Amino acid sequence: MPRRKSSVVGREFGEGVRRAIEQTGLTHRKLAEALGWDEAKLSDLVRGKGGITEADLRQLLGYCRVSPDEVRYLVGLFHETRESGYLKIPDEGPPDQVPVLLNQERLANEITVWSANLIPGHLQTADYMRAVIDQEARNKSIDYEKVIAAKLERRKLFHPSRTFVFFLHEQALRLPVGGSDVMKDQYIHLLGMAQRSYITLRVVPTAIGAHAGTSGSFLQLSYEKFDPVIFIEGKTSGLFLEDTRSLAVYSSVLKLLDQQALDPEQSKELITSMLI
């Protein structure tokens, strides 16, 4: 099946508009009639085909009784839908970018992660997350338990309908986050997850020295219907890369990590040795 030209920001915009429409309880035909639109115009909007103005969008959102904050968010996305790439800088810090990433991960059929310094987020235990947060520079206005709860929602992604490949550096395994008890539980959790047929865990050993992933951690989302996306998480932002050059560069990094990492069985043996 040929892939449709679609962007992260376009998919986020379309999802937001669908949510607004669904809360009215109206069919597309009834809603179009109420707005004085052709039904095809509303259908094109939801599918991300354009054909509307900002005034049209505001008319729709106003009729749907969308909150002012959501209106500002969707109008902002509307103006970015033709851009390649998406930089998410939320007003309130990290918690807001988790749902955006989770929305894109739900659409992906393959998720590949490279983690240089910490256990990959999808595989972290709640105690490990808390221990990491405890040692970070923190924003007093943020409820970090909500951050943890949002990140744990990613566990619902684990299903045989999609595949996961996790590359992590050995130093991420050996970094003593939260003390020995936290790390022991974390190792056990990693080994349990690695037994699932749709999850592959690969460790890049310290002994090889420099490696392909020295530029930093990232994840690649691959889709059946869309082109891949690279996501890079910062302290207060999330960056989605979709341009051809970036995709080629990060794809080459993953190919080299595949050559440099221990195989799945060797990786599990290394983690098991840390339990002793």
Side-chain angles (χ1 to χ4, degrees):
M1 179 182 294
R3 292 180 173 178
R4 303 203 307 268
K5 192 64 179 177
S6 175
S7 66
V8 170
V9 67
R11 293 194 289 273
E12 284 295 306
F13 174 72
E15 180 62 26
V17 172
R18 278 190 288 273
R19 287 196 304 269
I21 292 173
E22 287 172 0
Q23 73 183 24
T24 68
L26 297 175
T27 64
H28 282 196
R29 176 175 296 180
K30 290 292 185 182
L31 182 57
E33 289 176 357
L35 294 169
W37 293 5
D38 290 332
E39 187 177 353
K41 179 177 179 177
L42 184 60
S43 179
D44 285 348
L45 169 61
V46 173
R47 294 176 183 176
K49 293 184 178 181
I52 67 163
T53 65
E54 180 181 328
D56 290 331
L57 176 60
R58 288 185 180 276
Q59 180 189 8
L60 169 65
L61 298 178
Y63 188 88
C64 295
R65 296 176 180 266
V66 174
S67 71
D69 284 346
E70 185 70 3
V71 170
R72 284 191 290 271
Y73 176 63
L74 290 174
V75 169
L77 290 180
F78 171 75
H79 288 295
E80 294 188 54
T81 51
R82 295 184 181 276
E83 300 296 326
S84 178
Y86 177 38
L87 176 63
K88 177 66 174 174
I89 307 178
D91 294 334
E92 298 180 357
D96 191 48
Q97 72 194 53
V98 176
V100 177
L101 176 58
L102 187 56
N103 287 341
Q104 294 307 308
E105 288 179 326
R106 289 191 186 106
L107 295 172
N109 65 312
E110 183 174 331
I111 298 175
T112 305
V113 178
W114 159 240
S115 189
N117 300 311
L118 295 170
I119 303 298
H122 300 78
L123 300 175
Q124 291 177 7
T125 65
D127 286 341
Y128 185 97
M129 291 180 191
R130 289 190 184 93
V132 170
I133 289 172
D134 283 345
Q135 298 303 316
E136 288 184 331
R138 300 176 64 174
N139 184 331
K140 293 181 180 179
S141 67
I142 295 173
D143 184 344
Y144 283 93
E145 283 302 313
K146 289 185 178 179
V147 178
I148 292 171
K151 290 185 175 183
L152 289 175
E153 278 289 302
R154 298 170 89 186
R155 291 186 177 183
K156 295 180 180 178
L157 293 166
F158 290 119
H159 188 271
S161 61
R162 55 173 61 88
T163 58
F164 297 81
V165 179
F166 295 99
F167 291 101
L168 67 157
H169 198 274
E170 183 180 343
Q171 69 183 12
L173 287 170
R174 296 193 182 279
L175 188 68
V177 174
S180 59
D181 288 343
V182 171
M183 291 306 298
K184 180 178 179 180
D185 288 344
Q186 181 64 75
Y187 295 148
I188 292 171
H189 181 66
L190 283 176
L191 291 171
M193 297 299 288
Q195 295 303 314
R196 302 189 186 190
S197 60
Y198 52 91
I199 295 176
T200 301
L201 187 62
R202 306 279 305 279
V203 178
V204 174
T206 303
I208 71 169
H211 53 82
T214 53
S215 61
S217 305
F218 64 91
L219 64 84
Q220 177 180 272
L221 304 176
S222 300
Y223 310 87
E224 290 184 358
K225 298 180 180 179
F226 313 120
D227 289 331
V229 171
I230 298 297
F231 177 75
I232 302 172
E233 184 174 11
K235 180 66 176 174
T236 59
S237 65
L239 176 63
F240 292 91
L241 299 174
E242 302 168 275
D243 62 285
T244 302
R245 181 175 177 276
S246 293
L247 293 176
V249 169
Y250 282 94
S251 177
S252 67
V253 170
L254 290 174
K255 287 180 180 177
L256 283 172
L257 287 174
D258 181 58
Q259 298 171 18
Q260 296 167 345
L262 301 175
D263 66 32
E265 287 305 314
Q266 291 171 328
S267 298
K268 285 185 280 189
E269 288 172 5
L270 177 60
I271 297 170
T272 300
S273 71
M274 296 178 184
L275 280 168
I276 300 173

